[in-house]
Structures are given as C-alpha cells and as structure tokens.
Amino acid sequence: MTPYYFGEYNEWEEKGASMLRRAHELCPNEAIYAYSYLGSFSNAYGTRENELQQVQNVLEDRFKGEGLLSDYFKSIYAQ
C-alpha cells in the first residue's frame, strides 16, 4: 500500500523512512532491513548489489508460506 491511502503523503512517507532507518539501526546485519532502508534513498539505485545478494540468500527461508503475503514479498525482492 502507498501513503496516498492514509492521507498526507509527505508525512507518511517521512514516517515510513524513519521506520526503515530505525529497523536498520536496531538490526544492521538484517539483509531485508538494509536493502529496504538503502532503497529508500533515490540516489541508491544501482548501488545495492551486495544487499540484494544477501536478501536472495534469506528470501526462501524467510518467506516459507504459500499465501499472498509470502508471494508478495518474494516477488518484490526477487530479481
């Protein structure tokens, strides 16, 4: 879902970025947090190959289910 559904876009986008930053600070070695946090910067495109490889290494283990949520996360992180 996008922030547009919840009201003031800039406010919610900032809140989301803050949450990504905090998750990465709390667990800096967590591949999915690192990849998502770095991806929140517009100038990070093409500079996250190492993080993407780390995500690929944990993707199947992390999202084992066959439901829509597992399919969603597998699809957005699969390259």
Side-chain angles (χ1 to χ4, degrees):
M1 297 183 75
T2 65
Y4 293 114
Y5 290 117
F6 300 105
E8 181 58 42
Y9 175 79
N10 292 333
E11 179 183 327
W12 286 106
E13 184 178 46
E14 185 177 311
K15 176 111 173 126
S18 173
M19 292 172 75
L20 284 172
R21 183 183 70 247
R22 184 70 176 136
H24 181 58
E25 289 171 351
L26 290 172
C27 302
N29 296 323
E30 169 54 51
I32 293 175
Y33 295 170
Y35 183 76
S36 299
Y37 172 63
L38 293 174
S40 70
F41 299 104
S42 60
N43 63 350
Y45 184 77
T47 62
R48 300 174 292 151
E49 290 83 12
N50 182 49
E51 288 78 13
L52 180 58
Q53 183 57 48
Q54 297 302 319
V55 167
Q56 299 303 314
N57 292 340
V58 300
L59 194 59
E60 285 299 319
D61 186 52
R62 187 67 50 87
F63 303 106
K64 296 178 184 178
E66 296 181 15
L68 291 175
L69 195 58
S70 288
D71 289 345
Y72 168 75
F73 283 107
K74 288 177 189 176
S75 72
I76 64 168
Y77 291 118
Q79 295 287 332

